[in-house]
Amino acid sequence: MSETKDPNQLTKEQQELLEKYDAESNTRDVGGIVGKVIFFTLIAFSLFQIYTGIFGQYTAYLQRTIHLGFALSLIFLLFPARRKTKKSSIPWYDYILVLLSIIVCGYWPVFYDTLVQQIGSINGTQLIIGGVAILLVLEAARRAVGLPITIIAILFLTYALLGPNMPGMLAHRGLSLNQLVDSMFFTTEGILGTPLQVSSTYIFLFLLFGAFLVQTGVGQYFNDLAISIAGKRTGGPAKVAIFSSALNGTISGSSVANTVTTGSYTIPMMKKLGYHKNFAGAVEAAASTGGQIMPPIMGAAAFLMIEFAGESYWNIAKAATIPAILYFAGIWIMTHLEAKRIGLYGLPDKDIPPKATVLKKIHLLLPILAIVYFLFVGVSVERAALYGILTTIIVSLFRKDTRITPSKFIVALQSGARTALGVAAATACAGIIVGVVTKTGLGLKLGNSLVSIAGTLANSIEAQLLLTLFFTMIASIILGMGSPTTANYIITSTIALPAILALNDNLEVAIPVLAAHMFVFYFGIVADITPPVALAAFAATGISGGEPIRTGFNAAKLAIAAFIIPYMFVLNPTLLMIDASFLDVTWALLTALVGMIAIGACMIGYWYKPLNWFERIITLVTGFMLLYPEGNTDLFGLGIFAVLLVIQIIKREDKNDQLRRLGREA
């Protein structure tokens, strides 16, 4: 077996790629006394979260402001104001920002009794404190998350202040500066709202769980397991990328980070086997992005969905299962067909780890299974995360090379806190957006306007529904561009979601709330592989050497399931296992998988032989019929699929035909 690198140990080139495409990875490396202060503050942040997770949270305002205080202070110490500035020292103005962060977030614990009893408008001092807090959150989000969410938050704040001057239905009474600052920092409707609440409880502990899991060497194990299972199959390295990225996605909250860490290993393998560089990068980008929709963790968005959709965690994870299976099945099918089309085979035996070696570390999967079990039996989300961390530590002791030593324990505490900084900044900034929407009713206005436009263009309620879904899809993709998973979901569910729910009054059968949330979540996530932004695809080209736009289009083609399935589960929630029997779900899954074969053949242009344009159209239509979980379309689609399959098998290429065709194409 050839020597492999631990995907969690980043090279200089990988770190540069992450810093270029992932704002959360662009941090300083400071030494000396300041470096030690940062180190111990990160440890203290994690210990605070573990303490409140075990012994109970403080009241809402205290829990969230302490969490925010840690995050803001550390962000201004670790994240430079500009990407290309010197990263070995901290400029004087960042120390001032740290001091201001401590003052504004410490204001709540110090004056807690006064603030909770306060009724009416805030005083002059509080206006300054709240105003500074808003500016600090915006700047922290810009540094740690990126410009898109910051710009959206600024536009929303402007909208709140200029309400009476807005045109048409967008007009509202407007908020005074005093009212705006009050609602943003002195209530739980703004910065200290639900998004930050989830960050300060569920999300932090699950990120910490992931950090402990990484210290066991699980990233390398995922790669070895993927190679063992898929390496020798047709087009093996591409299937390794899919399998490994799906596994890594369960503990990663970033499509870009997943692409760079896993892709640094899988993309060179794919290119070496014979995949084109644009296709190899696309496979990794699509698979890594899919990690964000993969249960059980779903890039931490599942925990936000608990609050936003009002569903239990188990219902959310269950609903996400079949769409995730179909997403990865689609990529798997298309990489298989592409490998068959260009005559690629699996990896040689020397590159496959012995099964005995892989089985020795199978215990590393136990913490993930334990998390699923704890949630299934009704343990609270916070307790499940804590038990998951404890299980990881215990399981790591089974072998010397996976053991979490005291030094690794400290590294996990530090790493978990670092990872949480971007999430805290994103959720605090997203709280501004949610707060403005709540105060002004903007979400409902935007939703009604989209429905109204769709109604003007459509001549039936069914057409209006499809047009509304299409407009919501476009809005979600635009809003999701350049945002991390958690912020992505908060923004799309706040701004784009109301359009779908606004239709329920006119429909005979209402769209389930969870289906609507999953719809905007999916399209917000695929923004990472949708040109022209496509950050995950662009990051992949840094490893593959491919062309960013072509890689992005290839990734979007491979992830075609993510563009189709959300429509299917809104129109018929069987795919989300909502109010469906076991037989209904099984039939829907099996027919949908067959449908993905047809759609995959259409996308690649090859099945058992090359497909002409007419055959590709027929396979696409057949795939759509099979994906939609409805009896008549399923039966009709299966009939056409069977005929197409027989024709393909009869006329399939032999090796000589394939060599002649490849010679002509070359």
Side-chain angles (χ1 to χ4, degrees):
M1 176 186 169
S2 63
E3 186 180 351
T4 60
K5 297 177 183 178
D6 184 344
N8 298 303
Q9 300 299 315
L10 297 179
T11 65
K12 181 181 178 182
E13 292 76 15
Q14 292 165 350
Q15 186 60 41
E16 287 175 354
L17 268 179
L18 280 174
E19 290 177 5
K20 183 176 180 181
Y21 294 108
D22 184 20
E24 294 179 60
S25 301
N26 186 44
T27 57
R28 294 184 177 114
D29 185 13
V30 183
I33 295 175
V34 176
K36 288 183 172 61
V37 169
I38 293 171
F39 173 79
F40 285 112
T41 306
L42 287 166
I43 301 299
F45 194 10
S46 287
L47 292 177
F48 165 75
Q49 296 292 159
I50 292 173
Y51 176 83
T52 57
I54 295 173
F55 297 105
Q57 302 166 27
Y58 293 110
T59 59
Y61 289 113
L62 295 182
Q63 179 78 17
R64 299 172 200 182
T65 50
I66 294 171
H67 177 82
L68 183 63
F70 269 117
L72 291 179
S73 302
L74 286 164
I75 286 169
F76 293 126
L77 289 171
L78 283 168
F79 290 81
R82 290 179 303 225
R83 290 198 173 198
K84 295 184 179 180
T85 54
K86 189 177 179 182
K87 295 180 182 176
S88 58
S89 62
I90 301 173
W92 61 269
Y93 53 80
D94 277 345
Y95 288 114
I96 293 175
L97 293 177
V98 171
L99 181 60
L100 289 173
S101 299
I102 294 169
I103 291 170
V104 299
C105 292
Y107 190 81
W108 259 106
V110 172
F111 296 99
Y112 178 76
D113 291 336
T114 302
L115 290 171
V116 294
Q117 295 172 23
Q118 183 172 289
I119 299 173
S121 62
I122 55 178
N123 60 39
T125 301
Q126 292 164 352
L127 178 64
I128 294 171
I129 290 288
V132 171
I134 293 170
L135 294 175
L136 289 172
V137 166
L138 291 172
E139 174 59 9
R142 184 189 70 81
R143 294 189 187 195
V145 186
L147 268 175
I149 188 172
T150 311
I151 292 171
I152 293 172
I154 291 171
L155 290 174
F156 272 62
L157 288 170
T158 306
Y159 172 76
L161 291 170
L162 301 180
N165 301 314
M166 300 303 292
M169 66 183 300
L170 292 177
H172 62 93
R173 287 186 302 172
L175 299 174
S176 68
L177 183 61
N178 205 296
Q179 290 172 323
L180 182 63
V181 171
D182 183 23
S183 65
M184 288 298 111
F185 193 64
F186 294 100
T187 72
T188 54
E189 293 180 347
I191 291 170
L192 305 180
T194 300
L196 191 66
Q197 177 252 321
V198 178
S199 172
S200 66
T201 52
Y202 313 149
I203 293 180
F204 191 103
L205 291 174
F206 267 91
L207 293 175
L208 201 56
F209 163 69
F212 274 94
L213 206 54
V214 164
Q215 292 306 310
T216 66
V218 75
Q220 179 58 50
Y221 179 69
F222 282 161
N223 275 350
D224 289 344
L225 180 63
I227 294 172
S228 177
I229 293 172
K232 294 189 73 171
R233 299 178 183 276
T234 301
K239 292 173 180 175
V240 169
I242 297 165
F243 200 92
S244 180
S245 296
L247 290 172
N248 273 300
T250 64
I251 58 172
S252 168
S254 167
S255 303
V256 174
N258 204 1
T259 299
V260 172
T261 52
T262 310
S264 62
Y265 177 62
T266 58
I267 291 174
M269 275 203 307
M270 284 187 268
K271 288 176 64 181
K272 184 178 178 181
L273 188 69
Y275 281 108
H276 191 278
K277 57 188 178 183
N278 292 331
F279 190 85
V283 170
E284 182 55 55
S288 291
T289 299
Q292 307 309 293
I293 61 173
M294 186 73 181
I297 296 176
M298 296 164 60
F303 310 119
L304 285 163
M305 214 174 283
I306 293 171
E307 303 295 334
F308 279 62
E311 289 282 353
S312 69
Y313 173 84
W314 187 248
N315 283 344
I316 292 165
K318 183 178 71 173
T321 300
I322 290 179
I325 290 171
L326 295 177
Y327 179 93
F328 283 103
I331 303 174
W332 185 286
I333 289 162
M334 280 183 259
T335 54
H336 176 82
L337 294 176
E338 176 68 6
K340 298 286 282 186
R341 187 184 74 81
I342 57 179
L344 303 182
Y345 300 94
L347 293 169
D349 288 340
K350 67 182 180 66
D351 290 336
I352 307 295
K355 286 188 177 178
T357 303
V358 175
L359 290 174
K360 282 180 182 177
K361 294 186 180 181
I362 195 78
H363 62 283
L364 294 181
L365 298 178
L366 289 176
I368 297 173
L369 297 176
I371 285 278
V372 175
Y373 170 76
F374 293 139
L375 291 166
F376 178 72
V377 297
V379 173
S380 70
V381 178
E382 270 188 293
R383 288 286 169 182
L386 289 168
Y387 293 160
I389 293 170
L390 182 61
T391 305
T392 303
I393 295 169
I394 294 170
V395 163
S396 75
L397 301 176
F398 292 0
R399 286 180 56 85
K400 186 177 180 181
D401 55 344
T402 65
R403 192 169 300 156
I404 294 180
T405 60
S407 61
K408 286 185 177 181
F409 185 91
I410 296 298
V411 170
L413 292 177
Q414 180 195 28
S415 172
R418 269 182 177 260
T419 306
L421 297 180
V423 175
T427 50
C429 191
I432 293 174
I433 298 168
V434 175
V436 172
V437 169
T438 303
K439 283 289 183 183
T440 63
L442 179 61
L444 187 59
K445 291 176 182 178
L446 290 175
N448 287 334
S449 64
L450 284 180
V451 171
S452 177
I453 294 169
T456 303
L457 298 174
N459 55 11
S460 68
I461 187 62
E462 291 80 10
Q464 185 182 17
L465 170 60
L466 289 174
L467 277 174
T468 302
L469 291 176
F470 176 76
F471 293 149
T472 306
M473 174 190 77
I474 300 300
S476 298
I477 290 174
I478 293 171
L479 291 168
M481 287 179 174
S483 296
T485 302
T486 47
N488 193 322
Y489 168 65
I490 295 167
I491 294 169
T492 54
S493 63
T494 302
I495 301 173
L497 175 73
I500 301 176
L501 298 181
L503 274 173
N504 274 348
D505 292 339
N506 301 325
L507 298 174
E508 290 185 14
V509 179
I511 298 167
V513 172
L514 182 55
H517 278 267
M518 292 291 288
F519 185 91
V520 296
F521 173 58
Y522 259 64
F523 284 115
I525 292 300
V526 297
D528 280 342
I529 50 171
T530 305
V533 179
L535 286 183
F538 281 32
T541 61
I543 302 169
S544 68
E547 301 166 59
I549 294 297
R550 288 194 178 183
T551 300
F553 278 114
N554 277 333
K557 180 175 75 174
L558 288 168
I560 189 67
F563 293 90
I564 299 171
I565 292 168
Y567 285 90
M568 301 304 175
F569 63 57
V570 167
L571 297 173
N572 189 331
T574 301
L575 290 176
L576 297 181
M577 293 191 257
I578 296 175
D579 297 329
S581 67
F582 176 77
L583 287 177
D584 289 337
V585 171
T586 304
W587 176 256
L589 175 60
L590 292 176
T591 54
L593 287 171
V594 174
M596 286 310 306
I597 295 173
I599 289 174
C602 169
M603 293 293 108
I604 299 300
Y606 187 89
W607 199 345
Y608 286 92
K609 71 178 185 69
L611 301 178
N612 60 39
W613 66 270
F614 180 73
E615 290 171 323
R616 292 177 79 164
I617 292 173
I618 295 297
T619 53
L620 181 64
V621 173
T622 303
F624 275 120
M625 285 192 289
L626 288 165
L627 273 178
Y628 183 62
E630 197 274 325
N632 292 331
T633 57
D634 284 344
L635 292 174
F636 195 52
L638 283 173
I640 299 175
F641 182 88
V643 172
L644 290 172
L645 180 61
V646 170
I647 293 172
Q648 283 288 310
I649 291 173
I650 292 173
K651 295 185 176 181
R652 64 183 167 186
E653 287 185 312
D654 59 25
K655 276 195 173 180
N656 291 329
D657 291 334
Q658 187 182 52
L659 289 172
R660 282 193 291 270
R661 176 176 57 77
L662 291 173
R664 289 195 301 272
E665 290 178 0

